[in-house]
Amino acid sequence: MVIAVLGNRQFEAFADVIQRPDLLHDGRFASDEGHCPHEADLRVAIEGWSRQRSVAHVVEEPGAAGIACAAIGAMAWPAGRSPGMRSLLGYLGQGRRHGRLP
């Protein structure tokens, strides 16, 4: 799973999607710059949420909130054939990439 949460507005939406509003009140995640150094903690939150869902739902739920995401298997598809990858590549191609993705 590749998820591209870009900026504080998307982080707020993503925290809502994964049902972790507590992340919004955690100073470690107050800015984009804070997300990468605490990637391991974000990964635990994401895995806790995603473990309870099918891959389809894990892609669908953030996508509905405007967050670019794709299943890893989709990365092998040509970008024009995978809506999730097309969206993700579009975001990353705009130069708004902030560190490694959790």
Side-chain angles (χ1 to χ4, degrees), residues 61-79:
E61 292 176 31
I67 298 163
C69 57
I72 295 294
M75 296 182 82
W77 294 9

Side-chain angles (χ1 to χ4, degrees), residues 77-93:
W77 294 9
R81 296 186 58 192
S82 170
M85 274 308 295
R86 188 171 49 244
S87 177
L88 178 61
L89 293 173
Y91 277 113
L92 297 179

Side-chain angles (χ1 to χ4, degrees), residues 15-73:
D16 186 52
V17 166
I18 66 170
Q19 302 169 353
R20 290 292 307 270
D22 58 296
L23 297 176
L24 300 176
H25 305 290
D26 187 324
R28 297 173 298 167
F29 310 118
S31 68
D32 281 339
E33 293 76 22
H35 300 167
C36 289
H38 303 288
E39 178 183 338
D41 296 321
L42 285 174
R43 184 179 305 275
V44 168
I46 293 166
E47 288 174 353
W49 165 77
S50 65
R51 194 173 291 126
Q52 305 167 28
R53 290 162 174 73
S54 69
V55 172
H57 282 114
V58 170
V59 172
E60 182 179 305
E61 292 176 31
I67 298 163
C69 57
I72 295 294

